[in-house]
Amino acid sequence: MLKHLLAILLLLAFPSAVHSPAAADDRTAGQVIQEEIWALPFPLPVLAFLVRPVGDGPFPLVVMNHGISLEANQRTMFPAIEYRDAARWFARRGYVVISPIRYGASSLDDKDQGLYGAVFAHVGSCDNPNFRGPGLAIATLNEWVIDYMSKKKMIQPGKVIVVGQSGGGWGSIALGSLNPSSVQAIITFAAGRGGRVDGKPNNNCAPDKLVAATSEFGRTARVPMLWIYAENDSYFGPELTMRMHQAFVEAGGNADYRMLPSFGTDGHFMIDFAGAVPIWSPLVSQFLEKHSATAPPLGQPVNGPSAQREPPSKPPRLRLPENIHFSTWKKLCFASSDRTNICRSTSTATDDLDQIVARVDLIERADGPARLQLFVPQGANLQQGVKVTVDQGSPVQVPFTWCLTNICIAARGIEPTVAAQMEAGQQLKLELTDLYSSSVTIKLPLSQFGAVHQDPPAETFDFSLTEE
C-alpha cells in the first residue's frame, strides 16, 4: 500500500503539462492539462484518475472504464492508471477525463483499507457464466460517476462520452443498454468478457453465451457506439467479435464496428500504448464529430486568466462553508461476487451547492472487524489525523490513509463498543487541525443512527453471482 501512496503523491506533485510523444497531432492540440487522483464518495467509494484541461471550464466529460484482472497476483502488477496516453489525448481536446479504479480489478484493491472490498467483476463458472450482471455493475458505477461529476462547475451537463477497454468496454456496452440521457456516445476497445480461459489465446469461456448477452444489451441500447478491435486480439478475435456485433445490431443496437490491423504482440492492449494513438484517433475524431460529441474549439483561453492560474505555494487552510446540511443516516449493503457481504451505515454533510463537505461510514464486513471511515476537507494536518468523539466520551484518533486532490480519507478498525456508543449517542464530533494550528469541528447528529444501524438496509446492491 505504501508504494501505491508514493506513486500517487509523485503524480500529484507534477500535475500538469508534461507532453508525451503519443502522436504528431498531440503536439498541435495546445490545451494545457493536469493530472489528479480523486476519491469519489459513492455508496461504495472508489478512487479515480482524472486528467483535465487547465481552467474553470465548463468542459464535456469522458468516463473511461479500465480492464479487469480477477487473479490476485496479476492485480498486484496492474498499474493504477491504464491507457494514460489515451486519456491525455481526450483531455488535450478539451474533455475532463475520469477513470474510476474498480474493486477486484487493479493493484489498489485492498479490503483492509475500508475504501474497497466489494468485488463485482466475476462471471462465475464457464458452464453457466453471468456476463450480463458484471457488465451492469460497471454501468451502475458509471451512472454514479456521471451524476457526481455533473454537479461540478467545470462539467458541461448532458455532454458525456464513455470509453472502455476489455471488460471495461463490456461494461460500457451495458451502460448503453440503459440509455442514460446525458451520454452522447460510447467508444470501446477490445470489448468483451470471458477471454483466454487457462491463458490460451482465442479460448473464450462461453462464446455463444457472450454473443447472446451482447444481443440482450442490443435489444434496448440506442446510444451511438464505436467498437474498435485489432486483428491479433488474443482475447476477442475477429470471428467472435463480428458475431457479437451482428447480434447487437440485429437486436436493435447502434454500433459502428472497426477492425484495425494487428498491433504489437497482442492487439487486445492497443489502447495502453502511446504508439497506437495515431492509429485509432482519426476514427474516434470522425465518430465524435458525426454525433456532435466534440469538445469546444481549442486554442482559446478558458474563462480568461483562470486558465493560467498558478497553484498555491503555501499549504491550504482548513475552511468549512458557512452552511452545512446533514443527511439522514442510511444503511446500504452490498453482496459482492466474491461472496463477501458488506454494510455501510453512512451520513453525509454537504454545502449549499450539494458538494460533499464530510462523510462518515461505519463499515461492517461479514469476514472481518468493523471500520470507521471519514471523508474530510483538504488542508488538515495529516500527522494528527481526525479526533472522533461521541457526546462527552473518550475520543478516538483516526489516522489518515489517503489525501487526494479533492478530499482526504481517514480510517481505522474499531471495537464493537464504538458502534454501541454511536447507537446510544446524540452527536458525533469530528475535530481537525491544519498546518497553521487552527482547528475546525464538524458535528453530525446521531439521533437516528441506532435505529438505522439495527434495522434492515434501506437498499442492497447485489453484485453477487445469480442465476438469470
Side-chain angles (χ1 to χ4, degrees):
M1 184 57 64
L2 181 59
K3 64 182 179 181
H4 301 314
L5 280 170
L6 179 59
I8 287 172
L9 290 173
L10 286 173
L11 175 67
L12 295 178
F14 304 97
S16 64
V18 181
H19 292 272
S20 71
D25 68 338
D26 254 5
R27 290 188 288 272
T28 63
Q31 192 78 46
V32 180
I33 61 174
Q34 64 186 47
E35 299 177 52
E36 303 169 352
I37 298 291
W38 283 28
L40 305 179
F42 301 153
L44 200 61
V46 297
L47 299 183
F49 168 60
L50 186 141
V51 54
R52 64 185 181 90
V54 172
D56 295 335
F59 306 102
L61 177 68
V62 171
V63 180
M64 296 190 76
N65 294 311
H66 62 71
I68 292 167
S69 176
L70 295 177
E71 205 279 313
N73 290 331
Q74 290 183 11
R75 284 204 301 271
T76 63
M77 303 299 292
F78 263 50
I81 302 166
E82 293 187 88
Y83 46 65
R84 186 179 183 191
D85 289 284
R88 289 163 64 154
W89 182 86
F90 281 99
R92 290 196 181 102
R93 277 148 188 81
Y95 298 90
V96 170
V97 182
I98 188 164
S99 177
I101 303 171
R102 297 192 308 278
Y103 320 101
S106 76
S107 57
L108 288 175
D109 185 57
D110 187 345
K111 67 182 182 181
D112 293 327
Q113 291 299 314
L115 188 62
Y116 312 100
V119 178
F120 49 79
H122 292 291
V123 300
S125 168
C126 287
D127 296 330
N128 187 30
N130 179 358
F131 291 129
R132 188 169 179 270
L136 290 172
I138 294 172
T140 297
L141 175 60
N142 281 186
E143 289 179 319
W144 292 346
V145 172
I146 293 168
D147 180 66
Y148 178 79
M149 293 299 295
S150 296
K151 297 176 181 177
K152 301 294 182 184
K153 290 182 178 180
M154 66 176 172
I155 299 300
Q156 291 182 3
K159 294 188 176 182
V160 181
I161 310 300
V162 176
V163 181
Q165 188 265 347
S166 190
W170 178 249
S172 303
I173 294 172
L175 177 69
S177 74
L178 305 178
N179 294 303
S181 60
S182 60
V183 175
Q184 296 180 295
I186 293 173
I187 302 165
T188 67
F189 292 81
R193 285 306 309 263
R196 288 185 61 121
V197 177
D198 298 325
K200 298 178 182 178
N202 299 306
N203 187 31
N204 191 271
C205 181
D208 292 342
K209 292 188 176 181
L210 180 62
V211 172
T214 310
S215 176
E216 179 65 17
F217 285 145
R219 188 175 60 83
T220 58
R222 298 298 179 265
V223 180
M225 298 189 193
L226 173 63
W227 294 7
I228 298 175
Y229 293 92
E231 288 182 348
N232 64 333
D233 188 322
S234 69
Y235 289 74
F236 309 108
E239 181 181 354
L240 175 58
T241 58
M242 283 189 285
R243 287 180 60 199
M244 292 168 60
H245 178 256
Q246 182 179 358
F248 185 81
V249 172
E250 287 181 350
N254 179 8
D256 183 5
Y257 176 90
R258 296 299 181 95
M259 177 60 65
L260 298 180
S262 297
F263 180 85
T265 58
D266 192 335
H268 186 73
F269 303 102
M270 177 174 59
I271 194 176
D272 296 345
F273 291 90
V277 175
I279 299 173
W280 57 256
S281 58
L283 295 176
V284 170
S285 295
Q286 293 168 11
F287 175 73
L288 294 177
E289 289 174 3
K290 178 180 178 181
H291 296 287
S292 302
T294 53
L298 297 172
Q300 301 175 2
V302 181
N303 282 3
S306 64
Q308 305 299 324
R309 186 182 301 150
E310 294 293 330
S313 57
K314 296 181 180 180
R317 288 190 175 274
L318 189 57
R319 302 183 188 278
L320 297 179
E322 183 176 347
N323 298 317
I324 299 180
H325 312 278
F326 298 98
S327 72
T328 57
W329 286 88
K330 181 181 290 187
K331 184 177 180 180
L332 306 173
C333 291
F334 304 84
S336 70
S337 62
D338 65 353
R339 297 179 176 82
T340 298
N341 292 321
I342 305 167
C343 288
R344 293 171 180 263
S345 299
T346 183
S347 179
T348 303
T350 56
D351 62 15
D352 287 337
L353 298 176
D354 200 29
Q355 303 296 304
I356 293 177
V357 177
R359 172 170 145 174
V360 175
D361 290 337
L362 177 64
I363 307 168
E364 295 166 295
R365 296 176 57 96
D367 62 347
R371 293 182 65 82
L372 190 64
Q373 179 171 275
L374 314 170
F375 293 77
V376 297
Q378 277 267 359
N381 186 332
L382 300 183
Q383 292 183 334
Q384 295 190 16
V386 183
K387 187 166 69 172
V388 180
T389 309
V390 177
D391 295 338
Q392 305 302 316
S394 300
V396 175
Q397 204 72 22
V398 182
F400 283 103
T401 55
W402 302 88
C403 201
L404 308 172
T405 306
N406 65 323
I407 211 163
C408 290
I409 306 167
R412 61 165 288 177
I414 59 171
E415 299 295 327
T417 53
V418 176
Q421 290 170 7
M422 291 175 65
E423 285 189 8
Q426 295 298 310
Q427 186 180 82
L428 185 72
K429 183 166 62 176
L430 312 181
E431 297 179 80
L432 304 95
T433 303
D434 66 15
L435 294 174
Y436 300 93
S437 297
S438 62
S439 61
V440 298
T441 300
I442 303 171
K443 299 177 181 179
L444 289 87
L446 285 172
S447 55
Q448 298 174 320
F449 175 82
V452 169
H453 186 237
Q454 291 294 333
D455 285 350
E459 188 172 2
T460 296
F461 296 88
D462 190 355
F463 299 136
S464 62
L465 292 174
T466 56
E467 301 267 339
E468 294 193 41

